[in-house]
Amino acid sequence: SAVISQKPSRDICQRGTSLTIQCQVDSQVTMMFWYRQQPGQSLTLIATANQGSEATYESGFVIDKFPISRPNLTFSTLTVSNLSPEDSSIYLCSVDVFGYGYTFGSGTRLTVV
Amino acid sequence: AQSVAQPEDQVNVAEGNPLTVKCTYSVSGNPYLFWYVQYPNRGLQFLLKYITGDNLVKGSYGFEAEFNKSQTSFHLKKPSALVSDSALYFCAVISTGDSNYQLIWGAGTKLIIKP
């Protein structure tokens, strides 16, 4: 299965600033997924990122708030913009390499103060 | 609408006893079913999956799950629980009837194994 390196593992950010999260995969993948997870809660899909095209956002998530880059088949970034305390959460990237299973990054725990 | 239900927020089991974490699903096509585990302050780890074939699926750390089509269930089981199994467990499903092949997640079940 794929190995994902996700950075940073945690950060504390000021209101109004932005945080960019990076995910690097050790193999080429078509789709990368970005999730948000409140501690102890289930996962909510933010968007799906395909290389060479704009990300597809789920209902309730917009590109201006969560811009995503996918410059190649092994890398993606998610930026959480104009931070507010409500953005405090865990953010996870995920890939599906072989079609039937998903691998996750270790997560980024964001605290907005 | 496609959905996954994990009816128990928390399951408490004594160490050495068998454990079951329940999952039921509702999808329009055939299901691909998954179990993931999340240890405190860690990412999600894949445990096992059912795609086709034998209804009993064996996965990591001694866990297994049984696909029951008539009951639309995919309960996670382990014959003898360890304290180290304490974690948050998620069931997820993909429907072959969904062209996006999007993972649908259960709410999660907190498993507590007491020594």
Side-chain angles (χ1 to χ4, degrees), chain A residues 95-103, chain B residues 34 36 46 49 51 94 103:
Chain A
V95 300
D96 171 24
V97 177
F98 300 113
Y100 302 137
Y102 291 75
T103 301
Chain B
F34 305 84
Y36 286 85
F46 170 79
K49 65 178 184 283
I51 304 299
I94 294 173
L103 264 177

Side-chain angles (χ1 to χ4, degrees), chain A residues 31 33-35 43-48 56-59 61 96 99 102, chain B residues 2-4 27 30-32 34 92-105:
Chain A
M31 291 194 291
F33 305 89
W34 287 98
Y35 286 90
L43 283 75
T44 301
L45 181 64
I46 297 171
T48 303
T56 302
Y57 289 83
E58 298 301 307
S59 176
F61 297 96
D96 171 24
Y102 291 75
Chain B
Q2 331 261 36
S3 65
V4 175
V27 298
N30 291 320
Y32 296 164
F34 305 84
V93 65
I94 294 173
S95 170
T96 59
D98 177 5
S99 59
N100 293 325
Y101 272 63
Q102 185 177 126
L103 264 177
I104 300 164
W105 293 88

Side-chain angles (χ1 to χ4, degrees), chain A residues 26-108:
Chain A
D26 67 347
S27 56
Q28 294 184 338
V29 294
T30 303
M31 291 194 291
M32 293 182 73
F33 305 89
W34 287 98
Y35 286 90
R36 183 169 70 184
Q37 182 188 25
Q38 298 291 341
Q41 305 288 320
S42 189
L43 283 75
T44 301
L45 181 64
I46 297 171
T48 303
N50 291 329
Q51 192 269 335
S53 64
E54 276 196 9
T56 302
Y57 289 83
E58 298 301 307
S59 176
F61 297 96
V62 295
I63 188 171
D64 289 345
K65 176 68 174 177
F66 298 97
I68 288 172
S69 78
R70 186 79 204 276
N72 57 53
L73 290 173
T74 64
F75 187 78
S76 180
T77 67
L78 168 74
T79 298
V80 188
S81 303
N82 190 23
L83 290 167
S84 68
E86 292 72 34
D87 296 319
S88 296
S89 192
I90 300 167
Y91 294 85
L92 295 146
C93 62
S94 174
V95 300
D96 171 24
V97 177
F98 300 113
Y100 302 137
Y102 291 75
T103 301
F104 287 82
S106 54
T108 297

Side-chain angles (χ1 to χ4, degrees), chain B:
Chain B
Q2 331 261 36
S3 65
V4 175
Q6 292 181 243
E8 302 153 317
D9 292 337
Q10 182 169 310
V11 171
N12 298 302
V13 177
E15 186 177 27
N17 283 0
L19 69 87
T20 299
V21 183
K22 296 179 180 177
C23 173
T24 59
Y25 64 89
S26 175
V27 298
S28 56
N30 291 320
Y32 296 164
L33 294 150
F34 305 84
W35 276 103
Y36 286 85
V37 60
Q38 188 174 36
Y39 298 100
N41 301 312
R42 301 277 295 277
L44 282 152
Q45 295 181 32
F46 170 79
L47 272 181
L48 51 79
K49 65 178 184 283
Y50 170 83
I51 304 299
T52 187
D54 194 347
N55 289 343
L56 184 62
V57 178
K58 294 188 183 296
S60 306
Y61 311 121
F63 284 93
E64 60 186 29
E66 185 165 14
F67 171 59
N68 187 317
K69 188 174 183 178
S70 63
Q71 296 185 5
T72 62
S73 67
F74 190 57
H75 300 332
L76 182 70
K77 299 182 180 185
K78 187 172 182 179
S80 178
L82 300 172
V83 173
S84 57
D85 293 327
S86 299
L88 189 57
Y89 290 80
F90 291 98
C91 179
V93 65
I94 294 173
S95 170
T96 59
D98 177 5
S99 59
N100 293 325
Y101 272 63
Q102 185 177 126
L103 264 177
I104 300 164
W105 293 88
T109 298
K110 186 175 184 179
L111 178 63
I112 298 176
I113 309 300
K114 298 181 179 179

